[in-house]
Amino acid sequence: MKRGIAAIIAGFFLAAAGTVQAGITTDQVLDSGFDSISGTEPNSDTTPWFTGGEAQAGSIQTEALNGRGSGNAVKFQFTYDPAWLIQNLSNTVVAGKSYEISLWHALGDPASNAAHTNETTFEVALYTSPAVDGTYAEAVVLSGIVPPSSYPDYVNYTNTFSAASLIGVVGEYMQLRIIKSQAGVDHRLLVDDVSFGESDVATPA
């Protein structure tokens, strides 16, 4: 399968607070809880998290008051623009290995513009590149994730998929993206405690 042919995988939700994601053997995400950023960070030039698609700096920013625990979360602050949160991972796709993504998400404050009525949703996408920090192309999209309507409660999103869906990009470096693709949404979006890595949960070949 070429990387241009994305495998679309429907996610499933785990709503119990405090759920431990035991499927990930080694977390490949750095600063999972966003505690190394502050203010209007992350931006397009920060690491390990950086941004893309922002209409202006600060569209994605640190949320110090409403994190899932005692630390930070990240907030998609502006409701009028699409934006994506990105991290380049140092690991490559391994043939025959399954992978798991886990994160916690919640609705933030409602949009101040009454014309912003589109439902707040996001996607998680895995991009790959032959070289680390190279040119990444879409490989897998986990689409249509809807935050809980009971603001501001966090719920967990977890999805496990196998490298069979990435057969055309085995050996390539991975990039994780959390994407708010819709403009004019009705709420801000909060994300916290992001984990990704090889999984001990079996998936179909």
Side-chain angles (χ1 to χ4, degrees):
M1 180 187 298
K2 299 297 184 183
R3 72 167 69 94
I5 304 175
I8 308 300
I9 305 176
F12 60 88
F13 296 87
L14 297 176
T19 301
V20 176
Q21 303 311 315
I24 297 175
T25 56
T26 302
D27 190 1
Q28 298 175 10
V29 172
L30 299 177
D31 193 22
S32 295
F34 305 103
D35 293 320
S36 70
I37 60 174
S38 62
T40 60
E41 297 175 335
N43 296 313
S44 60
D45 59 352
T46 54
T47 59
W49 293 106
F50 61 100
T51 60
E54 293 178 294
Q56 66 185 72
S59 180
I60 301 175
Q61 60 184 250
T62 306
E63 175 54 58
L65 299 177
N66 295 307
R68 178 172 162 253
S70 59
N72 293 338
V74 75
K75 177 168 64 174
F76 289 73
Q77 170 66 15
F78 300 150
T79 59
Y80 67 85
D81 65 335
W84 44 96
L85 179 66
I86 310 167
Q87 185 171 139
N88 293 344
L89 306 176
S90 61
N91 301 75
T92 59
V93 177
V94 178
K97 294 290 186 180
S98 60
Y99 292 85
E100 183 172 298
I101 172 71
S102 172
L103 59 83
W104 292 80
H105 57 94
L107 287 179
D109 297 325
S112 55
N113 189 329
H116 293 178
T117 58
N118 291 322
E119 184 177 45
T120 303
T121 63
F122 67 98
E123 301 173 337
V124 176
L126 191 64
Y127 280 54
T128 64
S129 169
V132 66
D133 299 328
T135 300
Y136 290 83
E138 180 184 291
V140 177
V141 176
L142 315 175
S143 61
I145 306 164
V146 182
S149 57
S150 55
Y151 162 78
D153 295 334
Y154 279 87
V155 297
N156 179 252
Y157 168 81
T158 298
N159 201 311
T160 303
F161 54 96
S162 105
S165 64
L166 300 168
I167 193 168
V169 293
V170 168
E172 296 197 358
Y173 290 90
M174 294 179 281
Q175 180 191 79
L176 186 63
R177 296 192 183 192
I178 300 168
I179 303 169
K180 189 195 75 175
S181 58
Q182 183 81 283
V185 296
D186 56 4
H187 282 80
R188 291 163 178 83
L189 171 68
L190 299 170
V191 175
D192 204 355
D193 295 332
V194 180
S195 298
F196 176 86
E198 290 184 14
S199 175
D200 58 9
V201 177
T203 55

